[in-house]
Amino acid sequence: MSLYEDFKTSDVLETKGVRFENATYAYTLARSGGANKKFQKFFERLARPHRRQMDNGTLDNDVAERIMRQVYARTVVLGWETLVDDEWVDGIQLEDGSVVPATEDVLIQVFTDLPDLFSQISEDAKSVTYFRQAGMEDDAGN
């Protein structure tokens, strides 16, 4: 692969999202950054009151994590589906087995309950690999 194939991303994939499918659930993620301007704008808005602490490296980790969970829930996770009786249904399965709409509040709670899931989603949304222009062309058969 060339340098450009390795790093040139698709604005379409970065904003419309990429689907990540697992055995019993799937989520669609926009990129955290790049062409996803909503991500940067919302992050800046939430971070503004904490800018001095961020610049000084004194921002409490709990506050930083809360901000990022909210930013991802609103601007990165574009959809969530759960496999129910061999059918994909919109919604996220909670610990009690119920499937509920993946609203911002629900996502924030799930991210809080399952920090490793949030870490995985964060890594997926940051990875250039999933949002590369070359990958989009490969999918189209070019």
Side-chain angles (χ1 to χ4, degrees):
M1 278 193 159
S2 75
L3 180 65
Y4 283 86
E5 289 173 323
D6 281 348
F7 291 98
K8 186 174 182 181
T9 58
S10 163
D11 290 356
V12 172
L13 292 177
E14 288 183 344
T15 56
K16 300 290 184 190
V18 174
R19 180 180 168 93
F20 295 83
E21 191 172 307
N22 294 285
T24 59
Y25 62 93
Y27 48 81
T28 301
L29 302 179
R31 187 167 180 207
S32 58
N36 183 1
K37 302 302 181 202
K38 292 178 185 177
F39 174 85
Q40 190 63 33
K41 286 180 183 179
F42 191 55
F43 174 77
E44 288 297 326
R45 192 175 100 196
L46 293 183
R48 191 173 300 126
H50 309 283
R51 180 60 55 201
R52 181 176 303 252
Q53 294 154 323
M54 291 172 73
D55 291 345
N56 293 333
T58 60
L59 181 64
D60 183 71
N61 282 341
D62 290 340
V63 173
E65 289 171 8
R66 179 178 46 80
I67 289 169
M68 292 312 293
R69 286 191 299 263
Q70 188 173 1
V71 170
Y72 272 74
R74 182 173 297 180
T75 67
V76 173
V77 179
L78 303 179
W80 199 289
E81 295 175 287
T82 300
L83 193 62
V84 177
D85 298 326
D86 295 323
E87 300 270 338
W88 288 107
V89 297
D90 285 335
I92 188 169
Q93 186 173 29
L94 301 180
E95 189 171 16
D96 66 6
S98 63
V99 176
V100 301
T103 64
E104 183 177 331
D105 289 339
V106 168
L107 287 169
I108 290 168
Q109 186 59 56
V110 170
F111 292 162
T112 303
D113 293 345
L114 303 171
D116 290 331
L117 170 65
F118 183 66
S119 292
Q120 181 63 55
I121 286 174
S122 297
E123 289 303 313
D124 290 344
K126 289 177 195 171
S127 177
V128 169
T129 302
Y130 299 119
F131 301 97
R132 284 184 310 128
Q133 180 71 39
M136 192 171 162
E137 291 165 358
D138 292 344
D139 290 345
N142 293 335

